[in-house]
């Protein structure tokens, strides 16, 4: 059974001893006395790590600062040398299949070197910038871990790959590389013999959980969303797929139901989201919605085929592409090309399904989402779900197909549709478990429906914050089941906030993510000068911005102080001319990534 194969011995907490010469990490969870026999020693000068037998050599306490920590995220090389990243605060989320799940609340970056006197002024600036970038990524939130359950993989995968050899591997070695966000940070520690119990895999995304009583029977509903490390980044700087077929904003979401009778029954339903699986871009340029672009020389068919090749490898079964983009306007170019390529590829396990979300649900007619539900209803039933039977593996069920939903951002429209698919599957699961009566649906139980909506709305908000910088749009429909004018106003606020963040802050966010994931490696002897450039670095850009600000100030001054319509008009014209120049050259004025360019 899955539960017996997921047992592992990663330490849950440590005492961190910071000595001028070394770090010592001593496990504090003394399960069976085993944790007290060894500790991890890190030399702060040579960077050498080793496991020490505490029965032969005790942790030196003299001249050390002692701090309680929850775990090690890993180590990373900065300009000043290596730094240790530790978890200083974590919160308990709940249990999944009797395994504790935690979310990281606070971290600390501790440099090996206690001083920066050996650095030049430039190196000190860069060291501070890189440290701030790491802090920024960790402050985003949405990082989760378990010391006893591999939360980087679905329950169906764990059951299908439940072989004896699996148990002999460390938690990090058997976790899914696609979803472990600190894999690069742990690359040094994982090479140390005997350090397997110190390597804690962490996922990025969302985990939410609630209990609810349905028809006198209590169930636990959990959502786990796992964000891929491949082509990871922010909204406009990561679109489409890369040369290997990895999609931007790729998230695997698993909805899990647990029911104790007293035997434990567990079901799960897995959905996928990811950027339109073609080679395309949509770089910010100060326009409200930049025009998507595709190069005529790119092999779109090969990119599409590679994408679903590894889908087949990781998931098996059939796949339905649910494409929600508009069939007119700026979205049609990419959406129409996806339809053409899908038909040309003619992959036997992939079906393309188009649903123009905005056309069908315009003017707040959100009840028309039922049209899509009816169109997909047969495949929802055919694909099924995973069911872990308490009796025998033979009586378990496996999900036979997967829905891959996309819009342009794979956020707002995608959230609405994924929650609809999840609700339909949940109804079937609860009927099979005998919790819902044959004629009942999830939406017929107000308490269950309310819990379901809020859980999926929280998931959508978190996925949106991580990719676009704000909560999801259309969240009122996901959370309340209807579109409201207050929700529409909130969408307006979020849309403006996205515009500002995407144009003037996302370059920095992309750099921070690339540094954290190891897509950019720090070399203290070759620091990128581009990191210190700004939009004022060119004469024309700086002059245009200064002129626009000066003209705006003079226009306001003329309106408030001088009674001179001619002067007011003159400065207003100058202001508009400057702004026109800025918008015509928008790509030169946005905040762009400086460390790693596609």
């Amino acid at each position: 059974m899955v539960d017996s194969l997921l047992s592992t011995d990663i330490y849950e907490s440590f005492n961190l001893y910071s000595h001028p010469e070394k770090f010592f990490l001593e496990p504090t969870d003394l399960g069976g006395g085993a944790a007290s026999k060894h500790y991890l020693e890190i030399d702060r000068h040579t960077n050498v790590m080793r496991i020490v037998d505490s029965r032969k050599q005790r942790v030196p306490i003299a001249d050390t600062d002692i701090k309680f920590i929850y775990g090690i995220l890993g180590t990373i090389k900065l300009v000043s040398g290596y730094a240790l990243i530790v978890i200083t605060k974590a919160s308990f989320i709940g249990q999944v299949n009797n395994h504790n799940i935690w979310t990281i609340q606070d971290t600390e970056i501790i440099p090996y070197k206690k001083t920066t006197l050996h650095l030049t002024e430039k190196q000190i600036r860069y060291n501070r910038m890189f440290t701030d970038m790491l802090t920024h990524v960790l402050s985003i939130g949405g990082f989760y871990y378990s010391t006893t359950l591999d939360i980087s993989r679905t329950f169906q995968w764990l059951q299908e790959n439940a072989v004896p050899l699996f148990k002999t591997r460390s938690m990090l070695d058997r976790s899914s590389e696609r979803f472990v966000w600190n894999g690069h940070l742990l690359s040094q520690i994982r090479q140390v013999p005997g350090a397997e119990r110190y390597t804690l895999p962490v996922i990025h995304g969302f985990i939410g959980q609630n209990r609810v009583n349905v028809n006198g029977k209590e169930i636990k509903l959990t959502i786990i969303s796992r964000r891929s490390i491949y082509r990871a980044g922010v909204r406009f700087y990561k679109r489409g797929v890369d040369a290997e077929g990895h999609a931007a904003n790729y998230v695997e979401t698993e909805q899990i139901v647990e029911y104790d009778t007293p035997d434990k029954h567990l079901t799960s339903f897995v959905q996928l989201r990811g950027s339109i699986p073609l080679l395309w871009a949509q770089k910010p340029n100060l326009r409200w919605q930049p025009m998507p672009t595709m190069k005529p020389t790119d092999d779109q068919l090969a990119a599409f085929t590679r994408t679903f090749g590894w889908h087949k490898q990781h998931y098996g079964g059939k796949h339905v592409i649910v494409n929600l983009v508009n069939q007119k306007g700026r979205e049609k170019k990419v959406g129409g090309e996806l339809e053409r390529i899908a038909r040309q590829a003619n992959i036997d396990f992939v079906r393309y399904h188009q649903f123009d979300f905005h056309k069908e649900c315009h003017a707040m007619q959100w009840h028309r989402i039922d049209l899509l539900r009816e169109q997909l209803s047969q495949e929802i039933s055919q694909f099924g779900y995973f069911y872990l039977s308490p009796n025998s593996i033979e009586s378990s069920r496996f999900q036979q197909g997967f829905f891959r939903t996309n819009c342009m951002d794979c956020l707002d429209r995608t959230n609405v549709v994924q929650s609809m698919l999840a609700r339909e599957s949940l109804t079937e699961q609860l009927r099979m478990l005998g919790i819902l009566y044959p004629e009942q649906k999830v939406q017929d139980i107000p308490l269950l429906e309310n819990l379901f909506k809020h859980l999926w709305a929280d998931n959508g908000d978190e996925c949106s914050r991580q990719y676009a910088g704000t909560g999801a749009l259309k969240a009122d429909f996901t959370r309340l089941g209807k579109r409201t004018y207050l929700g529409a106003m909130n969408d307006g606020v979020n849309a403006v906030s996205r515009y500002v963040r995407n144009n003037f802050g996302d370059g920095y966010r992309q750099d921070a993510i690339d540094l954290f994931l190891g897509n950019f490696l720090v070399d203290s002897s070759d620091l990128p000068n581009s990191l210190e450039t700004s939009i004022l670095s060119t004469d024309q850009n700086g002059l245009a911005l200064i002129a626009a600000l000066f003209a705006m100030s003079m226009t306001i001054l003329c309106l408030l102080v001088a009674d001179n319509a001619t002067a007011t008009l003159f400065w207003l014209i100058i202001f508009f001319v400057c702004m026109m120049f800025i918008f015509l050259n928008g790509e030169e004025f946005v905040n762009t990534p400086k460390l790693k360019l596609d």
Side-chain angles (χ1 to χ4, degrees):
M1 301 293 286
V2 170
D3 189 71
S4 64
L5 287 174
L6 296 181
S7 176
T8 189
D9 292 318
I10 289 182
Y11 296 129
E12 291 187 356
S13 58
F14 304 85
N15 282 326
L16 170 62
Y17 298 83
S18 298
H19 186 273
E21 304 295 323
K22 297 179 179 180
F23 292 120
F24 305 97
L25 290 108
E26 179 185 53
T28 59
D29 50 314
L30 308 180
S36 62
K37 295 179 182 178
H38 302 90
Y39 61 87
L40 176 65
E41 176 188 280
I42 304 175
D43 193 299
R44 301 179 72 164
H45 300 289
T46 65
N47 305 328
V48 173
M49 300 181 182
R50 66 184 184 121
I51 298 295
V52 179
D53 189 334
S54 59
R55 294 166 296 184
K56 298 179 180 179
Q57 182 180 329
R58 298 182 63 83
V59 175
I61 299 179
D63 299 322
T64 62
D65 295 324
I66 305 175
K67 176 176 295 186
F68 175 84
I69 63 173
Y70 285 87
I72 311 166
L73 272 177
T75 62
I76 190 169
K77 186 179 181 182
L78 301 175
V79 181
S80 64
Y82 277 93
L84 179 68
I85 307 179
V86 297
I87 304 169
T88 57
K89 186 178 180 182
S91 294
F92 178 68
I93 293 292
Q95 287 192 332
V96 176
N97 204 27
N98 299 322
H99 296 273
N100 293 340
I101 308 294
W102 303 81
T103 181
I104 296 175
Q105 296 271 294
D106 204 0
T107 57
E108 185 176 355
I109 303 170
I110 309 173
Y112 285 18
K113 304 291 185 184
K114 296 183 70 66
T115 178
T116 57
L117 294 176
H118 60 293
L119 303 179
T120 65
E121 288 187 11
K122 179 180 179 180
Q123 288 176 326
I124 291 174
R125 287 198 308 274
Y126 273 73
N127 194 67
R128 186 182 304 113
M129 282 191 284
F130 289 136
T131 303
D132 289 345
M133 285 181 181
L134 295 173
T135 302
H136 174 77
V137 173
L138 292 167
S139 69
I140 294 172
F143 291 96
Y144 303 88
Y145 69 89
S146 173
T147 59
T148 58
L149 175 66
D150 182 4
I151 58 174
S152 71
R153 297 194 184 273
T154 66
F155 275 99
Q156 175 159 315
W157 189 97
L158 292 169
Q159 181 64 40
E160 290 178 326
N161 293 271
V163 295
L165 181 63
F166 188 79
K167 291 195 296 182
T168 67
R169 304 173 66 190
S170 70
M171 175 80 82
L172 181 61
D173 287 339
R174 68 195 193 200
S175 60
S176 174
E177 182 183 89
R178 295 182 298 150
F179 300 120
V180 176
W181 270 63
N182 62 331
H184 167 66
L185 300 179
L186 290 173
S187 58
Q188 188 182 22
I189 299 178
R190 73 186 305 173
Q191 303 301 321
V192 180
E196 296 85 1
R197 300 175 71 181
Y198 295 81
T199 54
L200 179 67
V202 172
I203 71 166
H204 187 37
F206 172 80
I207 299 182
Q209 184 179 89
N210 264 312
R211 292 179 178 272
V212 61
N213 192 288
V214 181
N215 294 330
K217 301 170 183 177
E218 186 178 78
I219 65 168
K220 182 162 59 178
L221 184 64
T222 304
I223 293 177
I224 301 179
S225 282
R226 308 170 178 96
R227 180 173 295 278
S228 174
I229 66 169
Y230 298 125
R231 203 159 176 74
V234 296
R235 187 184 181 201
F236 285 133
Y237 287 114
K238 292 297 178 181
R239 294 294 215 195
V241 298
D242 61 17
E244 287 73 42
H246 299 299
N249 194 24
Y250 186 86
V251 181
E252 173 190 271
T253 299
E254 183 175 20
Q255 178 179 271
I256 303 164
V257 176
E258 294 178 75
Y259 172 49
D260 297 331
T261 62
D263 294 327
K264 176 175 282 295
H265 296 262
L266 183 147
T267 64
S268 78
F269 178 66
V270 175
Q271 297 186 70
L272 314 171
R273 76 171 74 189
S275 190
I276 293 174
L278 299 175
L279 300 168
W280 63 286
Q282 193 180 17
K283 297 296 173 63
N285 56 9
L286 296 183
R287 288 172 174 76
W288 185 256
Q289 288 287 357
M291 184 64 68
T293 59
M294 290 183 290
K295 297 179 182 178
T297 55
D298 284 338
D299 191 341
Q300 302 290 4
L301 180 60
F304 180 89
T305 303
R306 278 192 293 269
T307 297
F308 285 95
W310 73 258
H311 270 67
K312 184 71 170 180
Q313 174 188 343
H314 288 289
Y315 300 100
K318 296 181 179 179
H319 292 260
V320 173
I321 304 170
V322 183
N323 184 20
L324 305 175
V325 302
N326 300 343
Q327 290 302 290
K328 62 180 181 179
R330 62 179 180 82
E331 296 186 2
K332 178 177 175 55
K333 181 178 181 180
V334 183
E337 181 69 359
L338 174 60
E339 181 176 7
R340 186 185 73 81
I341 293 295
R343 297 188 187 284
Q344 182 181 350
N346 195 28
I347 301 174
D348 59 358
F349 62 88
V350 176
R351 186 179 78 82
Y352 174 86
H353 189 90
Q354 174 65 45
F355 184 81
D356 190 331
F357 189 99
H358 286 151
K359 176 185 176 182
E360 297 294 345
C361 302
H362 75 287
M364 302 184 77
Q365 298 184 71
W366 288 67
H367 62 280
R368 292 178 61 81
I369 195 72
D370 284 343
L371 292 175
L372 179 60
R373 178 184 58 78
E374 292 171 3
Q375 293 165 8
L376 299 177
S377 61
Q378 186 175 354
E379 281 159 321
I380 295 173
S381 297
Q382 288 177 351
F383 289 175
Y385 45 84
F386 170 67
Y387 168 53
L388 181 62
S389 171
N391 301 318
S392 66
I393 296 178
E394 289 73 21
S395 58
S396 297
R397 299 184 185 183
F398 294 89
Q399 187 171 336
Q400 302 297 320
F402 303 86
F403 293 98
R404 185 195 191 276
T405 307
N406 72 261
C407 46
M408 290 298 284
D409 296 325
C410 303
L411 295 176
D412 313 317
R413 287 169 280 183
T414 297
N415 293 331
V416 173
V417 170
Q418 283 201 331
S419 66
M420 178 270 291
L421 294 171
R423 181 187 287 104
E424 292 301 301
S425 179
L426 181 60
T427 293
E428 293 192 2
Q429 294 168 50
L430 296 183
R431 285 175 178 172
M432 182 275 296
L433 292 171
I435 295 169
L436 287 180
Y437 304 133
E439 71 281 1
Q440 281 186 318
K441 298 180 179 180
V442 168
Q443 49 268 45
D444 296 332
I445 312 296
L447 190 60
L448 174 60
E449 173 71 356
N450 184 62
L451 178 147
F452 173 89
K453 287 176 181 175
H454 281 76
L455 202 54
W456 271 94
D458 291 343
N459 174 67
D461 280 341
E462 192 61 39
C463 289
S464 178
R465 269 190 286 270
Q466 292 163 12
Y467 186 56
T470 73
L473 308 186
K474 305 173 179 64
D476 54 336
F477 183 82
T478 309
R479 196 175 295 276
L480 303 175
K482 60 181 180 180
R483 202 70 167 102
T484 65
Y485 288 103
L486 183 61
M489 292 174 59
N490 186 63
D491 283 357
V493 173
N494 277 339
V496 172
S497 179
R498 282 185 185 181
Y499 174 83
V500 174
R501 289 173 181 269
N502 298 161
N503 282 281
F504 305 112
D506 273 1
Y508 178 85
R509 285 211 304 150
Q510 185 62 56
D511 283 337
I513 292 170
D514 283 332
L515 176 66
F516 187 88
L517 292 176
N519 297 329
F520 173 84
L521 302 178
V522 175
D523 182 352
S524 58
S525 62
D526 185 22
L527 298 173
N529 292 325
S530 58
L531 201 57
E532 291 190 307
T533 62
S534 70
I535 59 174
L536 298 176
S537 58
T538 61
D539 293 338
Q540 66 176 14
N541 288 355
L543 183 62
L545 282 174
I546 293 171
L549 291 173
F550 182 75
M552 182 177 66
S553 301
M554 291 302 297
T555 302
I556 295 173
L557 188 64
C558 289
L559 287 171
L560 296 178
V561 178
D563 187 14
N564 190 328
T566 303
T568 302
L569 181 62
F570 171 78
W571 287 113
L572 188 61
I573 292 173
I574 296 296
F575 172 73
F576 278 113
V577 168
C578 292
M579 292 305 297
M580 185 178 297
F581 174 83
I582 291 172
F583 272 90
L584 288 174
N585 298 275
E587 289 190 12
E588 300 295 325
F589 289 87
V590 298
N591 179 237
T592 59
K594 307 294 194 303
L595 298 183
K596 184 177 181 292
L597 302 177
D598 285 340

